[in-house]
Amino acid sequence: MHELKGILRDCLGADSALLIYDAALEQYMPRFNQSGVAIHAFIFPGNCSDAAIDDLTAAARNIAVDCVIGFGGGKTLDTAKAVAANLNLPMVIMPSAASNDAPTSRLVAIYEEHVFKHSRVLARNPDLVLVDTSILAEAPRRLLVAGIGDALSKKFEVDCSVANSVPNTFGMQSLLLSRTLADRCYELIRIHAISAIGECEAQRPGENFERLVEACVLYSGLAFEGGGLSLAHGLLRGLTCMPETECFLHGELVAYGSLVQVLACQRQRDEFDELLGVVKAVGLPSCLRDFGVSDISKERLSEVAAQTLTAPYLAGGAQQIFQDDIVQAMLELERRTA
């Protein structure tokens, strides 16, 4: 944090910043205030909604700053990105945990309360991403595990997206590099996840933690933007409509979605056992029961599947995944994890 002033000046020519941060990170504010950067701080309101973004934009409109810094979890970072875009200012992203792939992305996930509504696509990606692993290692274990859940999906989502020639988030043909990044991301998770979690719990980040953070923050983000998304993330639209999932994190839901995807996608079914082993080994949810869902009737699952297929990268059978495929995969997952 003590190098923040030099980094902002060297990279962006910035001496002042609008800071949007999680209230739970108040203990880090003295570090910002002592950094030499003129900080104008706003607490993240708790939800990345259109209304929250508009309110923060209006509050900051007449404050003279050189950039916007987002410091916190995925929703905080997405909110900061949107505010920076609204103000036409450089965006600086500082994750407080390796809990998701938001830091490098130009996408903003918009929610109303707990329910995912849509993604806003910004004109550009963040100008600067600062990852301080000494801060990330102080985050709760659960956040790191959620980041693993978000990142491990990319191997399967990029594979399915590329196989079906679905455009990536830039509306272009997926890059082969994206598949390489996605595969390497999954490989690093399998190699380093367990040891990295131990280093996080001890708050002593070592080589395993560094490599896992690289996978969860960098490889994961670059892979999905250049390669595309699939059912694992599409299921967020259906799962977040279930009240039982309200207290669960993005990556926890995505990990479950990855298991559903490999069962729904014939070309990936052989990878189910290995994926399930990784999910269980790190302590991620592996079935609806883990979310406290007891009603798994076909009618209810059909509603989840219908909402899932409103994702633009799945709509109209773009990836050869249909409503009944999703329902049957969810039911099979419950049987195979019973």
Side-chain angles (χ1 to χ4, degrees):
M1 197 78 77
H2 64 280
E3 299 176 348
L4 183 62
K5 181 178 181 179
I7 293 172
L8 292 184
R9 180 171 289 175
D10 292 345
C11 295
L12 302 175
D15 292 305
S16 59
L18 178 76
L19 173 67
I20 299 174
Y21 71 102
D22 286 341
L25 301 173
E26 191 68 40
Q27 72 268 28
Y28 294 102
M29 284 306 298
R31 301 193 200 181
F32 281 101
N33 294 330
Q34 296 164 12
S35 68
V37 179
I39 296 290
H40 300 267
F42 287 85
I43 295 176
F44 172 59
N47 195 29
C48 184
S49 64
D50 288 320
I53 292 167
D54 290 344
D55 288 347
L56 282 169
T57 300
R61 183 73 69 180
N62 296 319
I63 300 175
V65 292
D66 299 323
C67 65
V68 175
I69 299 175
F71 178 51
K75 290 183 180 180
T76 302
L77 302 183
D78 276 2
T79 301
K81 287 188 285 188
V83 171
N86 288 351
L87 297 174
N88 196 28
L89 288 171
M91 60 184 80
V92 180
I93 298 302
M94 295 182 63
S96 61
S99 58
N100 55 75
D101 57 17
T104 63
S105 171
R106 68 190 184 121
L107 300 186
V108 174
I110 303 295
Y111 291 79
E112 295 299 335
E113 299 303 328
H114 169 65
V115 180
F116 176 86
K117 290 299 183 183
H118 64 94
S119 289
R120 176 180 169 185
V121 183
L122 304 181
R124 69 177 193 272
N125 292 71
D127 298 274
L128 181 62
V129 179
L130 298 176
V131 179
D132 186 335
T133 50
S134 68
I135 293 176
L136 269 56
E138 295 175 355
R141 176 189 189 277
R142 184 184 179 190
L143 295 180
L144 179 61
V145 172
I148 294 169
D150 195 17
L152 61 76
S153 72
K154 304 313 186 303
K155 169 180 170 60
F156 308 101
E157 294 192 281
V158 172
D159 173 74
C160 199
S161 183
V162 171
N164 290 283
S165 301
V166 175
N168 62 20
T169 62
F170 297 95
M172 303 169 63
Q173 181 178 346
S174 298
L175 302 174
L176 291 179
L177 176 60
S178 300
R179 177 173 280 179
T180 301
L181 288 169
D183 289 345
R184 180 59 173 160
C185 181
Y186 187 59
E187 180 183 14
L188 289 173
I189 288 170
R190 289 189 289 111
I191 294 171
H192 297 289
I194 299 300
S195 296
I197 291 171
E199 291 175 5
C200 177
E201 290 176 324
Q203 295 190 2
R204 297 179 62 183
E207 182 68 16
N208 291 292
F209 188 79
E210 295 284 343
R211 297 287 75 79
L212 185 67
V213 167
E214 185 176 353
C216 292
V217 176
L218 183 61
Y219 291 7
S220 179
L222 297 183
F224 96 78
E225 278 206 311
L229 294 172
S230 188
L231 179 57
H233 269 76
L235 260 173
L236 287 171
R237 294 172 180 254
L239 292 175
T240 56
C241 291
M242 305 175 83
E244 297 95 329
T245 68
E246 185 171 355
C247 63
F248 287 88
L249 302 173
H250 173 92
E252 293 170 335
L253 298 172
V254 171
Y256 167 81
S258 297
L259 291 167
V260 174
Q261 176 172 322
V262 298
L263 291 176
C265 182
Q266 191 61 41
R267 58 182 280 114
Q268 296 177 344
R269 288 181 66 90
D270 290 345
E271 303 189 72
F272 174 80
D273 288 337
E274 181 181 75
L275 175 60
L276 180 62
V278 174
V279 167
K280 288 193 170 185
V282 299
L284 284 160
S286 61
C287 59
L288 289 175
R289 297 185 302 278
D290 290 341
F291 298 118
V293 177
S294 57
D295 177 6
I296 55 170
S297 64
K298 285 189 176 181
E299 292 75 18
R300 193 178 193 203
L301 299 187
S302 293
E303 293 174 2
V304 171
Q307 286 297 318
T308 296
L309 291 174
T310 63
Y313 44 85
L314 295 173
Q319 298 194 35
Q320 303 303 306
I321 297 174
F322 302 97
Q323 184 167 323
D324 190 58
D325 298 327
I326 299 171
V327 173
Q328 293 305 318
M330 294 174 78
L331 290 171
E332 181 178 353
L333 183 54
E334 296 305 303
R335 294 194 298 269
R336 295 183 69 160
T337 55

